[in-house]
């Protein structure tokens, strides 16, 4: 793969930056920044409303972006793509609209690996509709097992919502196998996939996963903040009630009633993040031009390198056994994660510290917090080396105090 | 290389001089920093208003732990009324290293815990 450094202006403007927090948010290539800027400077108008050419142009770009996303994840139709503010909004949307269809006594299966965004929205539903939350426990390496899933799944399971790739453990869930088991057990539960950490790293097809809904954020995929995607099977989306209501999501409206617009607009109330969505499409085009397979290979190579080197640092405890494609390595050291991240930060080396919005998982792991490095398409071996050198120096110093 | 100030912080983090607890405490102050999970518990023994003994249990980062240890070092032997007069600058000066807004909260947690408990 060619060196992508020059495509990302942050590295020109911050020459000493070592950015290893891509799982929190990715840096943006110039093509994405340009796409956003170009929209404002050449095509800005509201969409789906204006009868003048400028609005038609804006609408066309916005809907073209939907088509780009649909092709990217293998959706059957662009009607199945709903734009959101991010994975969090996608999961809140699902919890609210699916929650309203639940019956008392039904259950929802999540895993203990979930990011708070795939946990808290369901906790709210449980309180409201008298349903039960069940948790699929991960093993020490951070993997989820079918045998354990089988014991949780029953005829009252209405929803299964799982991470595709853990943002802490970096493990990948074999979603298609889970779906197969659901079918074998005669379960008609809805399967939701949080693909926030998988879509930036390897090819994800909703047909291959065989899930019912899938969400991800644009900002982790080299796209603008405040963008996200909810994909759902058209037949399910068609029969579900809307999420937010207001402009653009109605077909007809009187003072006392309204009818809903067609898919996907039924789920997109109000003026959306038009320039962000256009920027997201530019990001997808960019990674496809670079090649997702090449990005995967690059990530795996650097991950393996970093993992092997970190294994040799005596003051480091690695957490779990991540899939190298995830680009994620979490660990603890001989100092508090915040202190380590703070000291590395003084050298302009950016790594994550905390519970990474997965507090229950950290409690299970028996640590208050952890550190995490995460690799993106632009990460270089020099980044990893700079991090390792500083890490060894700091942990040695602490050990000697 | 660690600066002398950094070394002192890590020294106090690893070998706090006022770590521990005792049963007949006259005042127990607890502080939690929600954003990073730091937890501090401070125990004071009073003779009238004089602090005769001060100890802490910190489940926290180095800055928070060292700051707590520095604070108790200052307080032992002083009147409890001193606590209200201690300023943010006194704490940051004692910690001695530059603190970003997020780390400032770590350093101030013990003082805030004590002030809140006395107020309550």
């Amino acid at each position: 793969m060619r060196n992508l450094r020059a495509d990302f202006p942050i590295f020109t403007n911050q020459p000493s930056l070592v950015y290893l927090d891509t799982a929190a948010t990715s840096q943006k290539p110039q093509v994405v920044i340009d796409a956003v800027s170009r929209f404002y400077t050449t095509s800005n108008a509201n969409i789906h409303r204006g009868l003048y050419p400028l609005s038609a142009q804006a609408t066309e770009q916005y809907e073209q972006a939907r088509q780009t996303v649909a092709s990217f994840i293998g959706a059957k139709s662009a009607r199945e793509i709903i734009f959101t503010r991010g994975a969090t909004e996608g999961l809140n949307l699902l919890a609210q609209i699916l929650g309203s269809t639940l019956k008392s006594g039904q259950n929802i299966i999540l895993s203990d690996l979930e990011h708070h965004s795939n946990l808290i929205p369901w906790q709210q539903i449980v309180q409201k509709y008298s349903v039960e939350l069940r948790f699929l426990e991960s093993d020490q390496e951070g993997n989820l097992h079918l045998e354990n899933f089988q014991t949780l799944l029953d005829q009252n399971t209405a929803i299964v919502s799982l991470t595709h790739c853990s943002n802490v453990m970096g493990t990948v869930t074999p979603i298609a196998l889970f779906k197969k088991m659901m079918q074998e057990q005669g379960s008609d539960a809805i399967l939701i996939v949080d693909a926030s950490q998988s879509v930036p790293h390897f090819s994800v097809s909703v047909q291959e996963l065989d899930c019912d809904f899938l969400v991800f954020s644009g900002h982790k995929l080299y796209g603008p903040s405040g963008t996200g995607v909810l994909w759902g099977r058209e037949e399910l989306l068609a029969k579900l009630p809307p999420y937010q209501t207001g402009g653009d999501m109605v077909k007809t409206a009187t003072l006392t009633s309204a009818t809903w617009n067609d898919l996907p607009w039924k789920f997109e109330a109000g003026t959306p993040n038009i320039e962000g969505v256009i920027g997201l499409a530019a990001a997808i085009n960019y990674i496809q031009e670079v090649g997702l397979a090449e990005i995967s290979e690059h990530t795996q190579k650097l991950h393996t390198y970093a993992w092997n080197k970190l294994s040799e640092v005596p003051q480091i405890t690695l957490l779990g056994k991540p899939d190298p494609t995830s680009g994620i390595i979490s660990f603890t050291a001989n100092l508090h994660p915040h202190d380590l991240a703070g000291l590395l930060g003084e050298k302009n080396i950016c790594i994550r510290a905390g519970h990474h919005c997965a507090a229950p998982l950290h409690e299970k792991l028996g640590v208050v917090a952890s550190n995490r490095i995460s690799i993106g398409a632009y990460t270089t071996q020099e980044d990893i080396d700079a991090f390792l050198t500083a890490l060894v120096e700091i942990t040695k110093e602490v050990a000697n105090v | 290389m660690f600066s002398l100030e950094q070394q002192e912080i890590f020294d106090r983090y690893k070998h706090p001089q006022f770590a521990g607890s005792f049963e007949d405490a006259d005042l127990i102050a607890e502080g939690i920093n929600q954003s990073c999970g730091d937890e501090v518990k401070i125990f004071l023994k009073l003779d009238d208003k004089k602090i005769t003994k001060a100890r802490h249990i910190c489940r926290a980062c180095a800055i928070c732990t060292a700051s707590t240890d520095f604070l108790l070092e200052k307080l032992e032997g002083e009147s409890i009324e001193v606590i209200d007069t201690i300023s943010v600058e006194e704490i940051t000066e004692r910690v001695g290293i530059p603190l970003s807004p997020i780390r400032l909260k770590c350093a101030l947690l013990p003082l805030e815990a004590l002030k809140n408990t006395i107020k309550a």
Side-chain angles (χ1 to χ4, degrees):
Chain A
M1 190 176 78
R2 67 182 172 86
N3 189 326
L4 305 180
R5 213 67 171 177
D7 298 346
F8 291 79
I10 194 133
F11 299 118
T12 312
N13 296 320
Q14 298 243 15
S16 71
L17 180 68
V18 174
Y19 189 76
L20 292 170
D21 201 14
T22 294
T25 197
S26 62
Q27 296 300 337
K28 318 303 173 197
Q30 190 65 50
V31 287
V32 167
I33 300 163
D34 287 348
V36 172
S37 167
R38 195 180 319 116
F39 174 76
Y40 276 134
T41 49
T42 66
S43 315
N44 180 53
N46 210 331
I47 54 167
H48 304 143
R49 290 164 174 80
L51 295 170
Y52 42 86
L54 193 67
S55 171
Q57 198 182 330
T59 305
E60 196 188 318
Q61 288 179 32
Y62 183 77
E63 293 304 331
Q64 179 55 47
R66 201 187 302 276
Q67 192 60 57
T68 301
V69 172
S71 313
F72 179 59
I73 56 168
K76 281 187 181 149
S77 150
R79 287 188 298 278
E80 298 184 324
I81 303 297
I82 317 291
F83 287 119
T84 63
R85 282 193 297 124
T88 297
E89 190 181 41
L91 289 162
N92 273 278
L93 184 160
L94 288 172
Q96 286 202 24
I97 64 172
L98 291 172
S100 67
T101 69
L102 295 176
K103 297 178 198 76
S104 169
Q106 288 191 305
N107 65 72
I108 299 168
I109 300 178
L110 311 174
S111 84
D112 61 11
L113 296 174
E114 303 310 319
H115 186 281
H116 292 166
S117 59
N118 196 22
L119 173 65
I120 319 294
W122 303 110
Q123 290 177 353
Q124 305 309 305
I125 293 311
V126 164
Q127 289 163 12
K128 206 167 164 187
Y129 299 101
S130 312
V131 292
E132 180 198 351
L133 271 191
R134 295 182 176 178
F135 292 96
L136 179 55
E137 283 190 34
S138 52
D139 67 13
Q140 280 199 323
E141 295 189 339
N143 292 301
L144 300 175
H145 294 282
L146 280 175
E147 312 83 81
N148 301 341
F149 181 58
Q150 194 173 13
T151 63
L152 296 178
L153 185 71
D154 62 23
Q155 292 310 311
N156 289 321
T157 304
I159 296 166
V160 177
S161 188
L162 298 173
T163 181
H164 193 195
C165 175
S166 161
N167 72 315
V168 179
M169 306 302 270
T171 43
V172 176
T173 311
I175 296 293
L177 295 180
F178 280 73
K179 177 66 181 200
K180 195 160 161 259
M181 171 160 286
M182 289 166 70
Q183 283 166 338
E184 283 167 8
Q185 305 273 309
S187 168
D188 55 4
I190 284 168
L191 178 60
I192 300 168
V193 175
D194 174 4
S196 303
Q197 297 293 349
S198 56
V199 287
H201 294 290
F202 51 91
S203 174
V204 172
S205 154
V206 292
Q207 306 308 330
E208 281 171 27
L209 295 180
D210 203 16
C211 53
D212 299 302
F213 293 97
L214 178 137
V215 299
F216 62 88
S217 292
H219 72 96
K220 294 189 199 289
L221 189 66
Y222 311 101
S225 299
T227 63
V229 171
L230 161 67
W231 166 85
R233 287 191 192 280
E234 189 168 350
E235 61 272 24
L236 289 172
L237 288 172
K239 67 180 183 193
L240 285 165
Y243 172 52
Q244 294 182 329
T245 53
D248 212 21
M249 57 74 64
V250 285
K251 191 168 267 178
T252 63
T254 70
L255 282 178
T256 52
S257 67
T259 59
W260 313 139
N261 201 343
D262 296 328
L263 288 176
W265 308 293
K266 178 173 114 181
F267 291 103
E268 292 181 4
T271 298
N273 182 354
I274 306 168
E275 76 287 3
V277 160
I278 289 166
L280 173 59
I284 292 172
N285 288 332
Y286 173 76
I287 59 175
Q288 287 184 324
E289 179 254 317
V290 173
L292 201 46
E294 281 75 12
I295 293 174
S296 280
E297 200 189 314
H298 173 76
T299 307
Q300 280 187 51
K301 211 173 80 186
L302 284 183
H303 187 281
T304 306
Y305 176 76
W307 179 268
N308 291 341
K309 291 274 186 188
L310 276 168
S311 311
E312 293 165 10
V313 183
Q315 292 87 3
I316 296 295
T317 306
L318 292 160
L319 297 180
K321 197 158 189 310
D323 186 308
T325 333
S326 69
I328 288 170
I329 300 178
S330 294
F331 60 94
T332 55
N334 60 342
L335 67 168
H336 193 283
H338 288 99
D339 295 319
L340 177 59
L343 289 166
L344 289 169
E346 287 174 16
K347 299 173 193 285
N348 216 9
I349 299 169
C350 311
I351 77 160
R352 185 72 192 263
H355 49 51
H356 324 314
C357 296
L361 177 62
H362 278 80
E363 196 173 331
K364 173 184 162 141
L365 294 168
V367 293
V368 187
S370 67
N371 287 115
R372 179 187 70 192
I373 61 165
S374 51
I375 294 159
Y378 39 68
T379 308
T380 60
Q381 190 174 315
E382 287 74 34
D383 288 333
I384 306 286
D385 286 335
F387 157 70
L388 287 164
T389 305
L391 177 78
V392 168
E393 189 189 310
I394 292 166
T395 51
K396 250 189 206 163
E397 288 241 26
V398 172
N400 291 335
V401 170
Chain B
M1 274 296 271
F2 279 176
S3 64
L4 283 173
E5 292 82 1
Q6 281 175 325
Q7 270 191 23
E8 194 187 9
I9 284 172
F10 277 100
D11 181 46
R12 287 295 184 108
Y13 172 57
K14 290 179 75 177
H15 319 287
Q17 294 171 13
F18 294 83
S21 62
F22 49 91
E23 286 200 345
D24 55 342
D26 296 299
L27 188 142
I28 298 178
E30 286 184 79
I32 293 178
N33 185 342
Q34 292 295 353
S35 68
C36 67
D38 281 352
E39 287 175 24
V40 172
K41 201 168 179 180
I42 297 170
F43 303 80
L44 298 183
K45 180 81 195 146
L46 301 174
D47 180 4
D48 194 17
K49 284 186 172 174
K50 192 179 167 190
I51 301 168
T52 55
K53 192 175 176 188
R55 291 291 180 271
H56 66 84
I57 296 175
C58 285
R59 196 176 174 223
C61 65
I63 290 174
C64 182
T65 307
S67 178
T68 307
D69 215 54
F70 293 149
L71 181 63
L72 297 200
E73 182 177 38
K74 180 184 171 67
L75 288 179
E76 246 189 27
E78 293 282 345
S79 160
I80 190 157
E81 284 163 350
V82 165
I83 292 170
D84 250 349
T85 69
I86 297 174
S87 66
V88 170
E89 290 70 33
E90 268 179 86
I91 299 287
T92 54
E93 212 167 282
R94 182 67 185 92
V95 169
I97 60 167
L99 296 169
S100 63
I102 200 160
R103 301 318 302 273
L104 181 62
K105 283 187 188 168
C106 306
L108 294 180
L109 186 63
L111 181 64
E112 278 168 7
L114 278 172
K115 284 189 176 176
N116 289 340
T117 309
I118 290 168
K119 234 184 272 166

